[in-house]
Amino acid sequence: MKKVSDILPYFLNELSDFYPENELKSIMYISIGFHLGLTKSGIILQSEKKLKDKEISVLINIVDRLKNMEPIQYILSETKFYGLSFYTKQEVLIPRPETEELVDWIIKDNKGSKKKYLDVGTGSGCVIISIAKSLKGTFDAIDVSKESIRVSNKNIVRNKVNVNLKRMDILHAELEGEWDVIVSNPPYVLDSEKGLMNKNVLNWEPDIALFVEDTDPLLFYKEIAKKSSNVLRNNGFLYFEINEKFGKEIINLLEKMGFVNIELKKDINGKDRMV
């Protein structure tokens, strides 16, 4: 690996047993963009450019870590979400494209007036920060994890927004205040679904942000909806990202709690994903 044109063959040769080719190419483009500052077209235009020793060693290190199925977002300590850059580390869930769709829905629904927003289980802060970048109002976020609060704080500074953070366990504490919009992407993957998940998720991302017991799959939805009903202003909105298996059950749950105008939305892959 001496020049830019050698990078793709190197990635393919070293990692084709670990990743599908399309995913591997995507990872390579992300890595080159991050470390060499080259776009796809830049890679072609500068294909003969010689690599420095430091650049070669950085790329070799990335490949070595990828062989352990470590997500590229953790290797680079960065990911893109809703057009913004977010710091990521192993103790915090990697933002997903389907969550961008939830953010987009919230932003389109709430343009115009100043409102109060709360993100329950904020993780990296990607949801509330993206909303704060696009809308006017005041923005609050809570999470049970000390590390999530630390990472969110970094991302608030990185993206130059004002978000009030508080460490709190939504299962064992009451919400205090009032909000126009409450959003949550809580743990919703069943323990029994672990066997279906890729190693780069299962071995690296935090269980606390992903999994819920099969015996009580709607635990977080029940608690968040119940506590939200006490603090949502008149005509307030509650938004959830959900497990595609439980769309109807979550609608029934919300109806029983007195929520109205309930809408179930599919994600880009046609799966029930948002309420």
Side-chain angles (χ1 to χ4, degrees):
M1 191 167 49
K2 294 178 180 176
K3 53 189 181 179
V4 169
S5 62
D6 296 331
I7 300 171
L8 178 57
Y10 175 71
F11 267 69
L12 292 172
N13 186 54
E14 292 290 321
L15 295 165
S16 56
D17 289 343
F18 300 86
Y19 300 87
E21 188 173 323
N22 282 350
E23 187 180 352
L24 199 44
K25 284 182 177 176
S26 175
I27 290 170
M28 184 210 67
Y29 287 128
I30 290 168
S31 304
I32 293 175
F34 186 85
H35 282 295
L36 304 186
L38 294 176
T39 60
K40 282 186 186 181
S41 56
I43 292 167
I44 296 164
L45 292 169
Q46 300 197 43
S47 61
E48 295 303 306
K49 182 185 175 186
K50 283 191 173 180
L51 295 170
K52 297 172 185 168
D53 289 344
K54 187 180 178 184
E55 291 169 340
I56 293 169
S57 65
V58 162
L59 292 168
I60 289 171
N61 178 54
I62 288 172
V63 166
D64 287 343
R65 291 172 72 174
L66 286 167
K67 286 177 182 175
N68 291 323
M69 305 305 292
E70 185 175 353
I72 189 65
Q73 295 91 338
Y74 291 154
I75 295 171
L76 302 179
S77 300
E78 182 188 78
T79 193
K80 295 286 190 282
F81 180 89
Y82 210 71
L84 303 172
S85 168
F86 287 87
Y87 168 65
T88 52
K89 62 174 296 188
Q90 193 181 339
E91 289 86 352
V92 176
L93 193 71
I94 296 166
R96 302 295 201 272
E98 50 267 38
T99 308
E100 289 181 308
E101 296 181 66
L102 177 65
V103 166
D104 199 53
W105 187 13
I106 293 168
I107 288 169
K108 283 174 178 169
D109 270 0
N110 295 283
K111 275 197 167 156
S113 56
K114 263 188 165 183
K115 292 183 178 179
K116 287 191 73 178
Y117 298 84
L118 172 67
D119 180 15
V120 178
T122 197
S124 64
C126 63
V127 169
I128 197 71
I129 290 167
S130 300
I131 294 169
K133 271 300 223 189
S134 299
L135 297 175
K136 291 174 181 170
T138 57
F139 306 92
D140 302 303
I142 61 172
D143 203 288
V144 68
S145 160
K146 192 194 295 183
E147 206 52 49
S148 280
I149 297 297
R150 200 175 74 79
V151 170
S152 293
N153 257 319
K154 281 195 167 193
N155 285 322
I156 287 163
V157 173
R158 177 180 284 207
N159 287 289
K160 300 181 175 68
V161 292
N162 289 318
V163 177
N164 307 304
L165 285 175
K166 184 180 179 183
R167 191 175 174 207
M168 176 181 164
D169 181 355
I170 192 64
L171 297 181
H172 300 107
E174 293 298 323
L175 292 170
E176 292 178 4
E178 55 176 19
W179 291 273
D180 299 289
V181 176
I182 296 175
V183 56
S184 185
N185 176 18
Y188 62 66
V189 182
L190 300 177
D191 281 336
S192 60
E193 293 176 314
K194 283 184 179 180
L196 306 171
M197 302 187 79
N198 293 331
K199 285 183 180 175
N200 58 342
V201 175
L202 205 53
N203 294 350
W204 292 94
E205 297 199 59
D207 282 7
I208 192 174
L210 284 167
F211 297 110
V212 67
E213 291 180 8
D214 287 55
T215 52
D216 198 1
L218 304 186
L219 170 66
F220 285 93
Y221 298 97
K222 280 186 282 193
E223 287 297 319
I224 294 166
K226 184 172 73 178
K227 288 164 183 176
S228 294
S229 64
N230 298 324
V231 294
L232 271 173
R233 289 172 169 172
N234 288 338
N235 302 313
F237 290 95
L238 175 62
Y239 294 86
F240 282 128
E241 184 173 318
I242 67 164
N243 185 324
E244 63 186 281
K245 291 181 176 179
F246 296 112
K248 287 177 183 172
E249 288 86 344
I250 289 169
I251 287 172
N252 290 336
L253 174 77
L254 292 169
E255 283 175 343
K256 284 177 184 173
M257 290 187 172
F259 287 89
V260 294
N261 302 326
I262 300 165
E263 187 179 352
L264 177 64
K265 272 200 176 191
K266 295 185 186 298
D267 64 18
I268 199 167
N269 299 310
K271 295 177 178 178
D272 290 342
R273 186 65 66 201
M274 297 159 273
V275 172

